[in-house]
Amino acid sequence: MKSKPIYVEVPIHSKLDALWEASQNPHLHEQWDLRFSSITYLTKKENEAQQFTYTRTVGPFYKVEGWGKSIGSFQNDNQRTSSLHFGTPQKLSPIREGRGYWKYEQLDDSVKFLTQYDYDVNFGRVGKIVDKFVFRPLIGWATALSFDVLKRWLEKGETPSSQYVRFFSTYMMTYAFAFIWMYQGLIPKIIGMHPAELSMIGNVFSDRHALLVVMIIGLLEVFFGLFWLFYRRKDHLFLVQMILFPLLTITAVISLPETAIHPFNPVTFNLSLIILSVIGFMLSRDVPSAKSCLRKRRGV
């Protein structure tokens, strides 16, 4: 079960020296690379590879610590490469040992920055299966996302930390809203068929049609929740909610005025969702994305 090496390529509108410094300086490297929490260069002896140690914090109780060797190769004024040998002795780490390289190629107005690496895994055949279907796609995604963060840092000047705050905040709200819409569609409307839902719809439609209308609305809410998971432009969805939630609040209060004095009523609940939608809209308008990177060699 041989997996393909991880490959990521991105054009960066920057000078080669600036990109080299951002990726080879450990203090700068650890800021944008999601795969590392810290990188520490060891004392380098003449004519030897640069050795370093790295850590990756995984949750509150576990930290992966490893070693690496890096050799920079200056081929000419427009192209450089840096080869890498890395690994960790920790048995719980998915990665045991690996090798790869970074390549920098100065073009007319940008630098083509790419990496390719592969590694051996722990846990035998089970480890290979988990790596193929879970860990390798995850670390490939993390590499591509990190490259886009680096690209935006050098091109636009936005620090990696602020980019990651916007990225993870956007996606935490994405999954929260997906859950809220699907829950509100399934539980009180389709599965539970709460009397309050029927009462609000019954004030507009006949009792004979109220049940069907509530179920249709529930299905639409479930579909909108699923849409949150797959639609790429999250700012569009936040904008829709900024319009939709006030309308839903007004409709609910007009249909059943007594709900406005209930605990956790539509007024206070929807107001919090409106505020979250406004914050999400401002954060999500230009977030980094792994999809901006090429994941296969051209012609492959």
Side-chain angles (χ1 to χ4, degrees):
M1 187 183 296
K2 181 64 175 177
S3 297
K4 293 182 179 180
I6 293 171
Y7 180 87
V8 178
E9 177 187 323
V10 66
I12 299 179
H13 295 275
S14 167
K15 296 296 184 183
L16 195 153
D17 286 339
L19 175 56
W20 180 266
E21 176 67 12
S23 56
Q24 296 293 326
N25 183 320
H27 175 66
L28 300 178
H29 182 186
E30 66 189 23
Q31 292 184 52
W32 59 265
D33 200 331
L34 198 58
R35 298 168 297 175
F36 302 99
S37 298
S38 67
I39 303 171
T40 303
Y41 274 16
L42 305 179
T43 302
K44 184 177 182 299
K45 298 180 181 180
E46 190 174 356
N47 298 323
E48 287 190 357
Q50 175 64 66
Q51 299 189 45
F52 62 90
T53 60
Y54 68 86
T55 64
R56 173 69 264 177
T57 301
V58 184
F61 305 111
Y62 185 65
K63 180 186 293 185
V64 176
E65 299 179 342
W67 54 266
K69 298 178 183 179
S70 176
I71 302 175
S73 174
F74 293 76
Q75 297 183 2
N76 54 54
D77 292 339
N78 295 320
Q79 193 174 88
R80 302 177 190 176
T81 58
S82 177
S83 61
L84 180 67
H85 182 199
F86 58 93
T88 175
Q90 291 179 246
K91 299 300 183 182
L92 292 180
S93 170
I95 295 176
R96 185 169 71 245
E97 188 172 341
R99 288 178 171 81
Y101 65 88
W102 285 354
K103 186 175 180 180
Y104 313 69
E105 183 178 350
Q106 182 75 62
L107 305 177
D108 291 338
D109 60 347
S110 65
V111 179
K112 183 170 72 173
F113 182 44
L114 63 89
T115 185
Q116 179 171 299
Y117 61 95
D118 202 356
Y119 52 83
D120 298 321
V121 301
N122 287 314
F123 311 113
R125 183 173 177 80
V126 173
K128 291 180 180 179
I129 295 173
V130 173
D131 177 69
K132 181 178 178 65
F133 295 104
V134 180
F135 185 74
R136 189 170 293 254
L138 179 62
I139 197 170
W141 168 84
T143 305
L145 178 63
S146 300
F147 271 38
D148 193 48
V149 168
L150 173 61
K151 172 184 173 72
R152 290 164 179 261
W153 187 19
L154 295 178
E155 292 182 351
K156 301 179 180 180
E158 184 181 6
T159 62
S161 60
S162 63
Q163 292 187 61
Y164 282 124
V165 166
R166 289 194 298 110
F167 177 84
F168 287 108
S169 297
T170 295
Y171 280 92
M172 281 192 293
M173 284 189 281
T174 290
Y175 296 123
F177 278 123
F179 171 77
I180 288 170
W181 282 108
M182 288 189 284
Y183 185 93
Q184 290 296 324
L186 280 173
I187 304 304
K189 293 183 177 68
I190 297 176
I191 297 176
M193 195 62 69
H194 195 278
E197 300 286 352
L198 289 171
S199 296
M200 284 189 289
I201 300 301
N203 291 334
V204 180
F205 297 91
S206 65
D207 292 340
R208 186 177 62 180
H209 295 113
L211 183 64
L212 178 60
V213 173
V214 169
M215 293 189 68
I216 291 174
I217 293 174
L219 286 173
L220 291 174
E221 290 182 347
V222 171
F223 287 141
F224 189 63
L226 291 172
F227 204 54
W228 267 102
L229 299 178
F230 299 106
Y231 187 64
R232 186 174 179 181
R233 290 295 302 272
K234 308 302 182 187
D235 56 324
H236 291 171
L237 300 180
F238 284 120
L239 183 59
V240 168
Q241 291 188 162
M242 289 163 60
I243 300 170
L244 193 59
F245 283 134
L247 295 177
L248 292 174
T249 305
I250 295 170
T251 302
V253 173
I254 292 176
S255 299
L256 285 176
E258 63 270 21
T259 60
I261 61 173
H262 289 173
F264 300 102
N265 60 74
V267 176
T268 55
F269 178 67
N270 286 354
L271 178 61
S272 64
L273 298 181
I274 292 168
I275 293 173
L276 279 177
S277 297
V278 172
I279 295 172
F281 177 74
M282 292 187 294
L283 290 175
S284 64
R285 299 185 70 180
D286 186 28
V287 295
S289 172
K291 293 182 179 180
S292 65
C293 298
L294 184 67
R295 298 297 307 278
K296 293 181 180 180
R297 286 185 174 277
R298 291 178 176 85
V300 177

